[in-house]
């Protein structure tokens, strides 16, 4: 009898276990599904945060590169004005009789050599992204590569600009050593309007420079260097700028 009761309890226990297993499995499945849902929601939130962060970066970079493009556009025009003015000076030197006045000569000299050439793009956000490793947050592979190469391109251009500045300084040395910079300032209106000094009535003439072979040589080298800066560096850089801006605009939502 005791054996029967023990067997009966065992059978009941086994039956309860068998009936509980589906519920246990169901609960496990529910827990797994809950975990998967939580992970999916978390991943979706992370993707949303990352996408929002990327859009902030894209908008900021677009603003920076738009400003840089405006700077480059203006710089190209200044550089062109400089070498076109230098070309006009060479043309005056080719004339058998001087047809330019001291005032015209001084104004042309000042307009051609008063302004140095240096491209200073807005790179603060790009530099911050590179230093923090945030550049990897950009999903466009081509954009990342072009942004990475941008700074090295700017360094190459800076070397060309330094060479051009050296040629400009050689021309200015003509006035530091042998001719009158004061005359240029007086006749170009800089003395009175910009510096606030009186114009000298007996200022020496600089027109003898039109007879100087050294001055002509320096002008020609300056012209060639300035044209090379525009054609071989600024124009390709403008193409690259437009390409980067196009990629940024294609990614901005």
């Amino acid at each position: 009898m005791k054996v029967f009761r023990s067997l009966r309890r065992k059978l009941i226990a086994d039956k309860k276990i068998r009936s509980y297993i589906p519920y246990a499995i169901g609960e496990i499945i529910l827990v797994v599904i809950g975990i998967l849902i939580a992970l999916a929601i978390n991943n979706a939130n992370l993707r949303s945060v990352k996408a929002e962060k990327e859009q902030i970066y894209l908008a900021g970079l677009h603003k920076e590169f738009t400003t840089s493009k405006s700077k480059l556009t203006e710089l190209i025009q200044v550089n062109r004005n400089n070498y076109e003015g230098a070309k006009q000076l060479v043309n005056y030197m080719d004339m058998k009789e001087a047809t330019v006045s001291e005032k015209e000569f001084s104004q042309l000299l000042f307009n051609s050599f008063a302004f140095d050439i240096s491209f200073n793009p807005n790179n603060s956000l790009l530099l911050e992204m590179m230093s923090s490793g945030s550049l990897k947050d950009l999903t466009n592979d081509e954009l990342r590569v072009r942004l990475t190469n941008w700074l090295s391109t700017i360094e190459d251009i800076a070397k060309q600009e330094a060479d051009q500045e050296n040629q400009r300084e050689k021309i200015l040395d003509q006035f530091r050593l042998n001719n009158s910079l004061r005359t240029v300032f007086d006749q170009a209106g800089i003395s009175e309007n910009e510096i606030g000094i009186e114009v000298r009535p007996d200022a020496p003439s600089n027109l003898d420079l039109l007879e100087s072979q050294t001055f002509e040589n320096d002008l020609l080298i300056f012209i060639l260097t300035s044209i090379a800066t525009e054609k071989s560096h600024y124009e390709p850089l403008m193409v690259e700028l437009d390409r980067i801006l196009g990629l940024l605009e294609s990614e901005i939502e």
Side-chain angles (χ1 to χ4, degrees):
M1 192 69 177
K2 290 182 181 180
V3 175
F4 176 77
R5 284 198 297 267
S6 176
L7 181 59
R8 185 167 178 265
R9 285 196 297 269
K10 186 176 183 301
L11 290 174
I12 293 173
D14 290 343
K15 183 177 181 181
K16 287 182 179 180
I17 291 173
R18 286 195 298 271
S19 62
Y20 176 74
I21 288 176
Y23 293 105
I25 293 174
E27 288 184 8
I28 293 172
I29 292 174
L30 288 175
V31 170
V32 171
I33 291 174
I35 293 173
L36 292 175
I37 292 174
L39 288 174
I41 292 174
N42 185 59
N43 290 337
N45 288 336
L46 289 175
R47 286 193 297 270
S48 177
V49 170
K50 185 177 180 181
E52 183 178 353
K53 182 181 179 182
E54 181 183 15
Q55 287 299 310
I56 293 174
Y57 282 144
L58 291 170
L61 288 170
H62 187 271
K63 184 177 181 180
E64 278 195 353
F65 277 86
T66 299
T67 301
S68 296
K69 181 178 179 178
S70 297
K71 287 184 176 181
L72 182 58
T73 300
E74 181 178 351
L75 188 61
I76 288 174
Q77 188 58 55
V78 171
N79 183 58
R80 189 172 297 166
N81 290 341
N82 288 353
Y83 72 70
E84 288 295 341
K87 286 164 65 175
Q88 185 60 52
L89 289 170
V90 173
N91 289 335
Y92 282 141
M93 299 180 79
D94 288 340
M95 298 177 182
K96 293 182 179 180
E97 297 182 4
T99 58
V100 60
S101 67
E102 191 75 50
K103 184 177 183 66
E104 292 171 329
F105 186 51
S106 296
Q107 288 175 334
L108 192 54
L109 284 169
F110 182 81
N111 292 335
S112 301
F113 303 107
F115 309 103
D116 61 348
I117 297 298
S118 179
F119 180 50
N120 297 307
N122 286 28
N123 287 330
S124 57
L125 178 58
L126 178 58
L127 290 171
E128 177 187 330
M129 291 177 65
M130 286 184 169
S131 62
S132 65
S134 297
L135 202 62
K136 68 179 184 303
D137 292 331
L138 302 182
T139 55
N140 189 304
D141 293 337
E142 181 184 355
L143 178 59
R144 285 201 311 274
V145 171
R146 290 184 181 275
L147 290 175
T148 301
N149 294 335
W150 173 256
L151 295 181
S152 61
T153 302
I154 298 303
E155 290 177 0
D156 290 340
I157 289 176
K159 295 176 184 177
Q160 174 67 20
E161 291 172 336
D163 186 26
Q164 183 174 340
E165 178 62 18
N166 288 335
Q167 305 308 322
R168 172 175 169 269
E169 286 295 323
K170 288 182 180 179
I171 294 172
L172 294 177
D173 283 343
Q174 298 279 337
F175 297 92
R176 295 188 180 100
L177 301 175
N178 304 314
N179 292 85
S180 174
L181 190 60
R182 175 73 177 273
T183 298
V184 175
F185 285 177
D186 287 351
Q187 296 298 316
I190 304 303
S191 295
E192 285 185 313
N193 301 329
E194 302 294 335
I195 302 177
I197 58 178
E198 295 183 359
V199 175
R200 291 186 305 177
D202 57 344
S205 174
N206 288 320
L207 290 176
D208 61 316
L209 281 171
L210 294 173
E211 304 292 331
S212 170
Q213 186 65 59
T214 300
F215 184 61
E216 182 181 48
N217 291 341
D218 288 342
L219 284 174
L220 290 172
I221 295 174
F222 174 80
I223 292 167
L224 287 174
T225 307
S226 300
I227 292 176
T229 300
E230 178 182 339
K231 301 298 182 184
S232 300
H233 295 274
Y234 287 162
E235 288 184 357
L237 184 64
M238 183 63 78
V239 173
E240 181 64 14
L241 256 170
D242 285 334
R243 180 58 183 163
I244 290 175
L245 282 170
L247 289 170
L248 288 168
E249 288 165 3
S250 69
E251 297 294 321
I252 294 175
E253 297 177 355

